[in-house]
Amino acid sequence: MKLATLKDGSRDGQLAVVSRDLASAHFAAGIAGTMQRLLDDWNFLSPQLEDLSATLNDGKARHAFAFDPRQCMAPLPRAFQWLDASAYPCHVERLRTARGAEGPDRFHDEPLIYQGGSDDFLGPTDDAIFAHAEAEIDFESELAVVTGDVAIGTPADRALESVRLLMLVNDWSLRQPIATERARGHGFLQGKPASAFGPVAVTPDELGDAWHGGRVHLALESRWNGRRIGLTEAGPEMAFHYGQLIAHAAKTRRLRAGSIVGGGTVSNEDRSRGFSCIAELRAIETIEQGMARTGYLQFGDTVRIEVLGRDGLSVFGAIEQRVAAAA
Amino acid sequence: MKLATLKDGSRDGQLAVVSRDLASAHFAAGIAGTMQRLLDDWNFLSPQLEDLSATLNDGKARHAFAFDPRQCMAPLPRAFQWLDASAYPCHVERLRTARGAEGPDRFHDEPLIYQGGSDDFLGPTDDAIFAHAEAEIDFESELAVVTGDVAIGTPADRALESVRLLMLVNDWSLRQPIATERARGHGFLQGKPASAFGPVAVTPDELGDAWHGGRVHLALESRWNGRRIGLTEAGPEMAFHYGQLIAHAAKTRRLRAGSIVGGGTVSNEDRSRGFSCIAELRAIETIEQGMARTGYLQFGDTVRIEVLGRDGLSVFGAIEQRVAAAA
């Protein structure tokens, strides 16, 4: 099942079921008005939406309409929790090496996760608005899961069962404030402005065999001003699977339905796969050539992120954003 | 105006107006069903609730009922954002000195704020449930504001105008994971389980003269197992006022309605005022006696936090919680 939230002028938008090929959609209004409402009562509501999804995919939904990703908000336009991990060691190690930082502290033993802002998410084609380009604007191509309720102390294998949906994320990052905030040790605030999400959230079964071992075995294509700069594999180099990330977050507190847990910037050792953010490209330049040559994003630049399934169809639809200056 | 959210079996509860003396209440259902709904459309809905509040305080509300804080959820049972500052230098300096850490890095120049979990808040009399007492359970008595929408780059004086409500907070903290997480630099997750909030949220005018300069000039009384261990003044030693805290958070991203911004553990240089958390008491013991003698909270312990207004009435009602073990 694929689900989108369509713009209707409200803060939470209107939930809709979207066909597997992203061609058509149908409002879910009679079943659940919003995505959070669905997540709050998933076991009761999702079977009804699965029926609607099957009818839509069969071309038999009577009030279906053409799906337009430009009408999408983030699948969860605002959420009660956004936790983002750094589950790809390659990403963390490159950035640390480039800035001459110490080796990873217990990085391979225990997930590293920060609590992100979740009051304001961007839709897939919304402009990404920043106050100053000097803050060093970067994108980060990621995948994330949305959970149901998770009890305190839930082990990783059972935590994995709480995964309701998968989403594509552009975790916008400001490298200059991140450096300042990292030094202060209380996490990231100014360095992590509103993240953007792909047009549709999908249930894990939509991925078929590509969802196994708690990981997504597909590649994220990242384009900067039209040029492909990354086609990174999300599966094999993810050090902790989503169940482990969720279990880490739930070790001392329960998580409530609608919590989003991201895997962090997807990164591969194989250099030919490119990069899912500019910072990593700059890190390689710094390590190999003594200095970064590529600049960060400028106002007017575009970023496009997409994941194709094993059937060649776009899984989540594309994130296609322009970087814009605050008025 | 004083507002509470009453338990009704749902995740967001039922919004109610509460009389100034906390004796009676009236459901706000005809105006706004939930606190978030009110915050989403504050300018339109709050005048209607102010009218209801006036009628209730005059003893003329027809469907008023006795107010029972045990029926309260947190005023916002879950929120889209919870940002908590460390705005009392005395608290930070004592803890840093006790652990032999370096002096505050730019602590007096720029607010230090972390992004907290907001998917799961506790009501004022809910048990605080933890997996292990070995995690070093502590309370933190604080005040917080709830904001409306705040645009990117809003200056501090205008940011202050976005304050809609004030709340009393018990920011439950686990000192052992906090120490681990501080060293990793990505903020706090396992160290900051669900916070609890006082029974009612209040509009700033309820404080009269005690709300000025963007600060609350009242004292927080903290009791541990019935014994008073702190009566700390929230006003004079708050290094940054709430407008400055909000402006810091909104420097690179807008904040959406219903964002909660806390001032951090209230702390005074004057030792006779006591403490708003155990960690600070232990820090003083460590500095003066070479080791901490007081232990952290144990299962079965109780914590009570309350603020009296200049009229002697309880402003927010009391937080009265018991520490309990996860099942």
Side-chain angles (χ1 to χ4, degrees):
Chain A
M1 175 166 61
K2 299 190 176 190
L3 298 164
T5 294
L6 300 182
K7 295 175 183 176
D8 68 350
S10 76
R11 294 175 187 264
D12 296 307
Q14 277 286 326
L15 185 64
V17 174
V18 180
S19 63
R20 173 163 289 184
D21 62 3
L22 305 181
S24 60
H26 193 289
F27 282 117
I31 301 164
T34 68
M35 183 69 87
Q36 185 62 50
R37 175 79 189 85
L38 166 62
L39 290 159
D40 284 348
D41 199 6
W42 180 266
N43 289 340
F44 179 68
L45 298 173
S46 69
Q48 302 173 53
L49 287 176
E50 290 281 6
D51 289 347
L52 176 56
S53 171
T55 309
L56 181 68
N57 279 323
D58 287 347
K60 291 178 182 165
R62 286 187 134 197
H63 301 284
F65 52 89
F67 176 65
D68 178 2
R70 288 168 300 182
Q71 294 306 313
C72 286
M73 303 173 82
L76 268 174
R78 50 183 180 175
F80 296 108
Q81 181 147 260
W82 162 225
L83 298 168
D84 198 13
S86 300
Y88 296 87
C90 190
H91 171 73
V92 178
E93 283 161 8
R94 281 175 178 159
L95 267 55
R96 288 189 177 181
T97 303
R99 67 171 187 268
E102 281 178 27
D105 43 309
R106 306 195 303 125
F107 182 74
H108 293 275
D109 303 329
E110 203 166 357
L112 186 60
I113 307 181
Y114 74 88
Q115 184 98 37
S118 56
D119 62 316
D120 186 29
F121 290 142
L122 302 178
T125 66
D126 290 347
D127 282 352
I129 295 170
F130 304 102
H132 306 287
E134 294 72 35
E136 302 181 342
I137 302 166
D138 202 356
F139 67 93
E140 290 188 342
S141 306
E142 303 192 11
L143 295 171
V145 299
V146 186
T147 77
D149 291 319
V150 182
I152 289 183
T154 300
D157 55 339
R158 283 199 24 235
L160 192 56
E161 294 167 15
S162 75
V163 171
R164 301 286 183 248
L165 296 165
L166 296 160
M167 299 194 294
L168 179 64
V169 191
N170 183 357
D171 181 41
W172 287 103
S173 296
L174 298 174
R175 300 297 173 189
Q176 188 273 324
I178 282 177
T180 306
E181 292 180 326
R182 186 188 296 108
R184 302 186 90 196
H186 279 219
F188 310 112
L189 197 63
Q190 296 182 347
K192 291 289 187 180
S195 294
F197 288 81
V200 301
V202 309
T203 47
D205 61 288
E206 288 288 336
L207 272 60
D209 291 346
W211 172 249
H212 66 85
R215 296 169 175 85
V216 176
H217 293 266
L218 293 172
L220 281 71
E221 184 195 63
S222 302
R223 288 180 181 268
W224 178 15
N225 292 334
R227 192 167 64 90
R228 179 195 279 179
I229 68 160
L231 186 66
T232 51
E233 290 289 346
E237 294 175 58
M238 190 180 183
F240 302 98
H241 67 64
Y242 285 102
Q244 291 172 302
L245 298 179
I246 296 165
H248 179 83
K251 189 172 172 190
T252 61
R253 66 192 204 193
R254 61 182 184 171
L255 311 184
R256 305 312 305 274
S259 291
I260 305 172
V261 181
T265 312
V266 176
S267 177
N268 299 141
E269 292 281 355
D270 178 357
R271 196 79 57 78
S272 71
R273 297 212 145 267
F275 308 97
S276 303
C277 67
I278 308 292
E280 223 175 297
L281 169 56
R282 286 171 52 93
I284 294 292
E285 291 172 344
T286 302
I287 295 164
E288 297 190 347
Q289 304 168 44
M291 64 176 288
R293 290 165 190 283
T294 307
Y296 287 104
L297 276 71
Q298 299 299 316
F299 293 131
D301 281 4
T302 60
V303 172
R304 187 182 196 283
I305 307 169
E306 192 173 25
V307 174
L308 300 188
R310 291 185 176 169
D311 54 7
L313 292 177
S314 183
V315 177
F316 306 98
I319 294 175
E320 293 195 84
Q321 296 185 274
R322 199 173 60 94
V323 177
Chain B
M1 173 165 63
K2 298 190 175 188
L3 298 164
T5 294
L6 300 182
K7 295 176 184 177
D8 68 351
S10 76
R11 294 176 187 263
D12 296 307
Q14 278 285 324
L15 184 63
V17 173
V18 180
S19 63
R20 173 163 289 183
D21 62 3
L22 305 181
S24 60
H26 192 291
F27 282 117
I31 301 164
T34 68
M35 183 69 87
Q36 185 62 50
R37 175 80 188 85
L38 166 61
L39 290 159
D40 284 348
D41 200 6
W42 179 266
N43 290 340
F44 180 67
L45 298 172
S46 68
Q48 303 172 53
L49 287 176
E50 290 282 5
D51 288 348
L52 176 57
S53 171
T55 308
L56 181 67
N57 279 322
D58 287 348
K60 291 177 181 164
R62 286 188 136 194
H63 301 286
F65 52 89
F67 176 64
D68 177 2
R70 288 169 300 181
Q71 294 306 312
C72 286
M73 303 173 81
L76 267 174
R78 51 184 179 174
F80 295 108
Q81 181 148 261
W82 160 227
L83 298 167
D84 198 13
S86 300
Y88 296 87
C90 189
H91 171 73
V92 178
E93 283 161 7
R94 280 175 178 157
L95 267 56
R96 287 189 178 180
T97 303
R99 68 171 186 268
E102 281 178 26
D105 43 310
R106 307 194 304 123
F107 182 73
H108 292 276
D109 304 329
E110 205 167 355
L112 187 61
I113 307 181
Y114 73 89
Q115 184 99 38
S118 56
D119 62 316
D120 186 31
F121 290 142
L122 303 178
T125 65
D126 290 346
D127 282 353
I129 295 170
F130 304 103
H132 306 286
E134 294 72 34
E136 303 182 343
I137 302 165
D138 201 357
F139 67 94
E140 291 188 342
S141 307
E142 304 192 13
L143 295 171
V145 300
V146 186
T147 77
D149 291 319
V150 182
I152 290 183
T154 300
D157 54 340
R158 283 198 27 235
L160 192 55
E161 293 167 17
S162 75
V163 171
R164 302 284 183 251
L165 296 165
L166 296 160
M167 299 195 294
L168 179 64
V169 191
N170 183 359
D171 182 41
W172 286 103
S173 296
L174 299 174
R175 301 296 174 191
Q176 188 274 324
I178 282 178
T180 306
E181 292 181 324
R182 187 189 295 108
R184 303 187 88 196
H186 279 220
F188 311 112
L189 198 63
Q190 295 181 348
K192 291 289 188 180
S195 294
F197 289 81
V200 301
V202 309
T203 48
D205 61 289
E206 288 287 336
L207 272 61
D209 291 347
W211 171 249
H212 66 84
R215 296 169 174 86
V216 176
H217 293 266
L218 294 172
L220 280 72
E221 184 195 63
S222 302
R223 288 179 181 271
W224 177 15
N225 292 336
R227 193 167 64 92
R228 179 196 279 180
I229 67 158
L231 186 67
T232 51
E233 289 288 346
E237 294 175 58
M238 190 181 183
F240 302 97
H241 66 64
Y242 284 103
Q244 291 172 303
L245 299 179
I246 295 165
H248 179 84
K251 190 173 174 189
T252 61
R253 66 191 205 194
R254 61 181 184 173
L255 311 184
R256 305 313 304 274
S259 291
I260 306 172
V261 180
T265 312
V266 176
S267 177
N268 300 141
E269 292 281 355
D270 178 357
R271 196 79 57 78
S272 72
R273 298 212 143 269
F275 308 97
S276 302
C277 67
I278 307 292
E280 223 176 297
L281 168 58
R282 287 171 51 94
I284 295 291
E285 291 172 344
T286 302
I287 294 164
E288 296 189 346
Q289 304 169 43
M291 64 176 288
R293 289 165 192 284
T294 307
Y296 286 105
L297 276 72
Q298 299 299 318
F299 292 130
D301 282 6
T302 60
V303 172
R304 187 182 195 282
I305 308 169
E306 192 173 26
V307 174
L308 299 188
R310 291 185 175 168
D311 55 6
L313 292 177
S314 183
V315 176
F316 306 99
I319 294 175
E320 293 195 83
Q321 296 186 274
R322 198 173 60 93
V323 177

